Amino acid sequence: MTSARAPFRQRGVALFIVIIFVMLSMLLALWASRTSLFQEMLTGNDADYQRTFEAAQALLQDAELDIRGEMADGSACSAAPCRAYTSSLQFPGDSKEINPLITLLEAEATRCKDALCTRRVGRQDFWNYAKEETVVKPAANAASGEVPLSALKAVGARYGQYTGAANTTAAGPLNPILTETDEKHGGWYWIEIMRYSDAAKSASLIVNASTSQLPLNLDVYVVFRITALALGRKPGTSVVLQQTYVRQRLKD
């Protein structure tokens, strides 16, 4: 006589384990997708910054050509859009022209006109004052040219404005930032006209052991400080580059 076997009870353990593995797989897939999205955002931000940095460098080079009175191909200006033919403001050709130019610029509310500016005597990081309310006591500081960035953008120069430099090729624009023309995008440069001090005019740059001196080899005792500002395609991306530039003459 055989005894009856007790019925087998299914407790659902296998189903529970399968559900756990499915949830883990979903979490892993979600983590992978978020990581990929984060890496894509980093790559996009870095690419936008590099593009903006290159635009600022191009603006510095364009400003140097503007100072030298040259076209984008390096030839001398002979027609528009070069500054000598489009503006009454020109870079000083001799020391006697510096003071009248600075006097003219100081009469402007922004201390700038046609991208030419006097030396800033107020806060130097003017690019950080994007709005009127960010300027501390604008009325009291009007003499120092502390005005919102929007006011300075109106008197800044765009890429190729005075050199004829083109940002396009047959395949399209080299840098899309330089083709932007609205206030919130693109790039600008400003050139400050700064005198050498009277002591610097007569001082020498190098004195060797035999007391022989190397005099300052300049056409005009003036230094140009160029500030280039480029705004990226993404909100919050901006690059500011500054450099000083001095024109020199060749030895006879």
Side-chain angles (χ1 to χ4, degrees), residues 120 122-136 145-153 188 190 227-231 236-242:
R120 294 191 61 82
R123 303 186 180 192
Q124 302 300 305
D125 58 335
F126 63 89
W127 50 87
N128 287 327
Y129 299 95
K131 299 180 181 179
E132 183 74 33
E133 56 267 22
T134 58
V135 182
V136 179
E146 291 194 27
V147 296
L149 180 60
S150 58
L152 288 175
K153 287 179 180 178
W188 302 261
W190 300 266
T227 303
L229 167 65
L231 303 180
T237 303
S238 63
V239 173
V240 178
L241 298 179
Q242 276 190 332

Side-chain angles (χ1 to χ4, degrees), residues 17 51 59 64 77 85 110 125 134 146 161 238 241-242:
I17 294 176
R51 185 167 48 242
L59 287 166
E64 291 183 11
C77 288
Y85 296 90
T110 57
D125 58 335
T134 58
E146 291 194 27
Q161 182 174 344
S238 63
L241 298 179
Q242 276 190 332

Side-chain angles (χ1 to χ4, degrees), residues 112-188:
C112 295
K113 187 175 183 180
D114 295 345
L116 297 185
C117 308
T118 60
R119 184 180 66 85
R120 294 191 61 82
V121 295
R123 303 186 180 192
Q124 302 300 305
D125 58 335
F126 63 89
W127 50 87
N128 287 327
Y129 299 95
K131 299 180 181 179
E132 183 74 33
E133 56 267 22
T134 58
V135 182
V136 179
K137 297 180 180 179
N141 295 328
S144 62
E146 291 194 27
V147 296
L149 180 60
S150 58
L152 288 175
K153 287 179 180 178
V155 294
R158 295 283 192 170
Y159 180 77
Q161 182 174 344
Y162 295 111
T163 64
N167 184 48
T168 58
T169 61
L174 296 174
N175 192 320
I177 293 176
L178 297 176
T179 60
E180 302 285 354
T181 57
D182 61 286
E183 183 182 342
K184 296 182 179 179
H185 300 91
W188 302 261

